[in-house]
Amino acid sequence: RKSSKQVELFSDPVAEMKKLADYCENDCVMTAQLYKIFMAQMTPELLKEYEVLEIPIINVLRKIERRGMKIDLQALESMGQKLTLELNNTHKQLSIMPALYGMSEINFDSPKQVSELLYQKMGYKPSEEFRTKSGAHSTSTDALESLQGSKADKTHDSFIELFIRYRELRKIKSTYIDGLKEQQLNGVI
């Protein structure tokens, strides 16, 4: 069954081919223009690096894109289990802090809840430099790192370090371990 978008897209194949041809032509023209600009800026050292490193890797990348790349599913599963254990341990350590400030357990993946803990309960002074698009105080890594050392109590700094580590572990697990498992087909991505 075709969606209305598909029917609309191919309702006039000649016009669509013309659009596609125009796009390809513009893409080629722009690429050629960029090539001239970048080549004019190349120093002899950069040109040598380009020829020795960049050009040879193009064929390798092309083969990987065409054939895929084998991954060791058992090793990936083992890494995932180790990361899960470390994440759980880190989460347990983090969970102590909200209780010290009279909060029930919070969702450390919720910027709003983490913000409440840091800025309202723990008393960190948020930097005006770090705000979200909606104007809320940010809990980005940069914002958290800027808070370190701003309180005399070093327990707070270790909490922030641990929280940053928690986020790093979550990112690695979701992006690389879980992401690769989802993308693989018979051990090939």
Side-chain angles (χ1 to χ4, degrees):
R1 183 169 182 244
K2 291 182 180 179
S3 72
S4 60
K5 193 93 166 160
Q6 288 172 316
V7 171
E8 181 183 308
L9 180 66
F10 295 105
S11 61
D12 186 356
V14 174
E16 293 304 318
M17 289 305 289
K18 172 76 172 109
K19 284 183 193 175
L20 184 59
D22 290 345
Y23 173 82
C24 290
E25 178 186 9
N26 289 334
D27 195 36
C28 290
V29 169
M30 292 302 288
T31 301
Q33 289 173 351
L34 287 171
Y35 176 81
K36 289 176 187 174
I37 291 168
F38 290 137
M39 289 308 286
Q41 296 174 3
M42 285 283 211
T43 63
E45 296 83 20
L46 283 176
L47 190 55
K48 181 172 175 131
E49 186 176 313
Y50 174 72
E51 291 169 349
V52 172
L53 295 174
E54 301 290 332
I55 297 291
I57 200 84
I58 290 172
N59 288 327
V60 173
L61 294 173
R62 188 176 319 135
K63 286 179 185 175
I64 289 172
E65 284 180 359
R66 206 174 317 125
R67 298 180 190 159
M69 183 174 74
K70 284 189 175 187
I71 57 171
D72 185 337
L73 291 175
Q74 287 180 324
L76 197 62
E77 187 62 36
S78 175
M79 285 186 269
Q81 290 171 355
K82 288 177 186 174
L83 275 172
T84 299
L85 281 174
E86 190 173 350
L87 264 168
N88 290 341
N89 289 333
T90 304
H91 189 273
K92 280 181 191 173
Q93 292 174 40
L94 286 173
S95 295
I96 294 168
M97 194 59 77
L100 293 176
Y101 288 91
M103 295 178 75
S104 59
E105 188 168 320
I106 69 167
N107 177 359
F108 288 105
D109 297 320
S110 165
K112 183 178 179 180
Q113 291 180 26
V114 171
S115 180
E116 179 185 352
L117 174 64
L118 289 171
Y119 302 122
Q120 293 174 15
K121 301 294 183 177
M122 294 174 71
Y124 276 101
K125 301 293 179 236
S127 169
E128 293 304 312
E129 177 183 354
F130 299 105
R131 291 222 179 236
T132 64
K133 290 179 183 175
S134 66
H137 298 296
S138 176
T139 59
S140 70
T141 301
D142 289 339
L144 295 173
E145 288 173 347
S146 76
L147 298 175
Q148 288 182 308
S150 65
K151 291 184 95 41
D153 184 356
K154 296 303 173 199
T155 306
H156 291 81
D157 282 353
S158 62
F159 171 79
I160 290 176
E161 287 174 24
L162 194 61
F163 183 67
I164 291 171
R165 177 70 180 149
Y166 172 79
R167 279 202 176 152
E168 289 171 348
L169 293 170
R170 292 277 295 175
K171 179 73 172 173
I172 291 168
K173 185 169 185 319
S174 66
T175 302
Y176 300 106
I177 304 299
D178 298 341
L180 287 175
K181 281 198 261 184
E182 288 174 15
Q183 295 296 319
Q184 67 85 27
L185 179 64
N186 299 323
V188 176
I189 55 168

